[in-house]
Amino acid sequence: MKFASTRGESPEVGIDDALAAGLAPDGGLYVPLAIPEADMDKAGATLADTAAALLAPYFAGSRLEAQLADMCRAAFDFPVPLRPLQGAGDYLLELFHGPTAAFKDIGARFLAEALSRLREPGTPLTTILVATSGDTGAAVGAAFHRREGFRVVILYPDGRVSPRQAHGLGCFGENVQALRVAGTFDDCQQLVKQALTDAGLRESITLGSANSISLGRLLPQMAYYAHASLQFRADHGTSLNFVIPTGNLGNALAAWLARSMGLPIGDIVIASNANDVLPRYFAGGYYRPQAGKATLANAMDVGAPSNFERLRWWHADDAAVRASLQACSVDDGQIRAATAAAPARHGLVPCPHTAVALHALEMLRVQGDKRPWAVVATAHPAKFETVVEPLVGHELEPPPALAAALARAATATPLGLDYAAFRDWLLESTADP
């Protein structure tokens, strides 16, 4: 299978080269030239089994083809349960049982397995650059921590992530370094993209990406949608619909891509916070990126969602894009109300991002929609205790892996909005890590 840049000005490549590069040389995002049909009519015994079957067409001819099943077993060694909520037809897909208590663990761990196995002995150190709005950086840091031949540089918006998220970004040390940037997530993302397309810098440093712009993050995220939807159809004889909290669009795009492969996935609702670039577009407006706004659901504070470029590439025109997904925007007041009501209404305590999706689900029910819907729970609520605990009236116990991270010392280096300074820092820190 060949992969092309969404901007059409870079050569087509195989999956191995696309994974290693992260971003195409012309600044575009890699996409498969054709979406294969999924040759599966039931879920595997485990998530890893489903993932291996689903991803097989993308890795045909890859150096990793024979190792794909082993990679999936190594990456997907924790549960992603679909459990019923209290309302009829209401479900929760829990994606926060990995080592950093967020769904980003799934793609990050797969990418780390892939890049480690593609790396030839004796090759130069690879610097993985990752911009994060809160959860991605910790997942990538955990996935690559102490992996030979790699270091990770995490850029996060200073003061715009939760205290526990910030601690989780800076607590690794060794080959994982955190930079707290005086700006927004979009500013962090722009610095990373500038570095990845800087030909002069890449002559001095081997660079890679671990954001959802990387196919190694996007493709494996299809697996939990495939696994849940196939099992649901086997149990209930119908398709499952999804409400997905959305910032940079990678998670929702993975659901769309799995559905496009033929998985029994029904409608997909993108649930955004007050950063409403996507909801305005899907309501018929122009796609106009804007400066990210700080909200309670901070991991979704994205004003220029990168994966929209992929979504548009796969459709003939705006009408076709708008026909493929639905979208809504949820403000902070609605997040607070949904969080406070969730224990009695749904039987759970949500993180702020999951609360965004719960509000969207409640609006669907108000409108009379009686179909089965799964809300995607993207992070453990204990990562956002300063927001959630006052709303539910009790303390939240961190899961063991998160508690262990919080017990370690954390540090992050300040960085201004200056690409030249970031470039110099990369060169100096690589020369003397």
Side-chain angles (χ1 to χ4, degrees):
M1 180 176 289
K2 290 295 185 180
F3 297 81
S5 168
T6 51
R7 301 186 184 178
E9 297 180 3
S10 292
E12 296 171 7
V13 299
I15 185 70
D16 298 349
D17 289 335
L19 291 176
L23 197 66
D26 61 4
L29 281 63
Y30 281 116
V31 289
L33 287 176
I35 298 175
E37 186 77 15
D39 185 19
M40 50 198 310
D41 58 7
K42 63 181 181 178
T46 66
L47 175 67
D49 293 334
T50 300
L54 184 72
L55 296 174
Y58 297 96
F59 284 84
S62 163
R63 289 163 50 200
L64 299 171
E65 184 175 11
Q67 304 178 61
L68 183 59
D70 288 340
M71 290 165 52
C72 291
R73 282 191 289 270
F76 309 135
D77 61 352
F78 50 87
V80 288
L82 177 70
R83 66 182 187 89
L85 298 178
Q86 292 176 172
D90 296 349
Y91 296 86
L92 191 76
L93 181 60
E94 292 183 347
L95 303 182
F96 52 71
H97 295 288
T100 69
F103 83 97
K104 305 296 180 73
D105 286 319
I106 292 166
R109 286 164 65 83
F110 182 87
L111 177 64
E113 289 294 329
L115 294 184
S116 293
R117 294 164 192 250
L118 286 171
R119 183 177 182 271
E120 298 287 352
T123 55
L125 179 76
T126 296
T127 297
I128 302 293
L129 301 180
V130 55
T132 184
S133 52
D135 289 327
T136 298
V140 172
F144 283 92
H145 189 216
R146 296 176 178 166
R147 282 188 184 259
E148 183 179 355
F150 295 91
R151 75 159 177 162
V152 174
V153 176
I154 301 167
L155 289 77
Y156 73 90
D158 194 10
R160 288 176 176 247
V161 302
S162 79
R164 284 183 174 173
Q165 282 178 311
H167 192 100
L169 296 169
C171 72
F172 293 102
E174 299 174 292
N175 68 325
V176 180
Q177 299 163 285
L179 301 177
R180 48 187 178 89
V181 178
T184 66
F185 165 76
D186 297 299
D187 295 324
C188 297
Q189 187 164 247
Q190 182 58 32
L191 288 171
V192 166
K193 287 183 176 181
Q194 281 184 264
L196 291 172
T197 55
D198 185 333
L201 178 63
R202 298 195 77 142
E203 289 179 0
S204 301
I205 306 174
T206 301
L207 295 176
S209 169
N211 278 93
S212 58
I213 58 177
S214 167
L215 280 175
R217 282 273 316 284
L218 174 67
L219 295 179
Q221 289 179 168
M222 293 190 296
Y224 43 80
Y225 293 113
H227 195 70
S229 63
L230 286 167
Q231 189 61 57
F232 189 85
R233 184 178 65 181
D235 293 341
H236 300 277
T238 189
S239 297
L240 184 60
N241 307 282
F242 289 93
V243 184
I244 305 173
T246 300
N248 211 27
L249 193 55
N251 201 8
L253 185 64
W256 176 88
L257 188 55
R259 186 179 67 185
S260 299
M261 290 181 67
L263 275 302
I265 294 169
D267 285 348
I268 300 169
V269 170
I270 294 170
S272 298
N273 58 19
N275 292 280
D276 61 351
V277 170
L278 292 172
R280 285 190 289 106
Y281 169 81
F282 279 98
Y286 291 107
Y287 176 72
R288 287 178 176 158
Q290 60 189 16
K293 307 170 187 174
T295 75
L296 296 177
N298 65 273
M300 294 153 54
D301 291 347
V302 180
S306 289
N307 280 289
F308 183 78
E309 192 166 328
R310 280 189 172 116
L311 186 64
R312 184 172 255 169
W313 188 89
W314 268 311
H315 291 85
D317 52 31
D318 286 337
V321 176
R322 293 185 179 110
S324 68
L325 299 165
Q326 304 170 44
C328 66
S329 177
V330 180
D331 63 31
D332 277 0
Q334 293 165 327
I335 292 172
R336 289 189 183 94
T339 302
R345 181 173 295 178
H346 300 290
L348 81 156
V349 175
C351 80
H353 315 82
T354 306
V356 169
L358 286 172
H359 177 82
L361 172 64
E362 291 160 11
M363 293 303 99
L364 288 166
R365 297 306 187 209
V366 167
Q367 294 161 13
D369 193 321
K370 299 184 183 301
R371 294 174 297 164
W373 285 89
V375 162
V376 177
T378 53
H380 195 285
K383 299 188 79 170
F384 308 92
E385 83 287 2
T386 57
V387 174
V388 177
E389 288 181 352
L391 295 170
V392 299
H394 60 83
E395 293 185 0
L396 302 173
E397 182 178 355
L402 178 58
L406 295 172
R408 300 195 297 266
T411 184
T413 301
L415 178 71
L417 283 181
D418 183 343
Y419 176 69
F422 176 47
R423 189 182 195 276
D424 290 344
W425 183 90
L426 285 172
L427 290 167
E428 292 165 7
S429 60
T430 302
D432 183 23

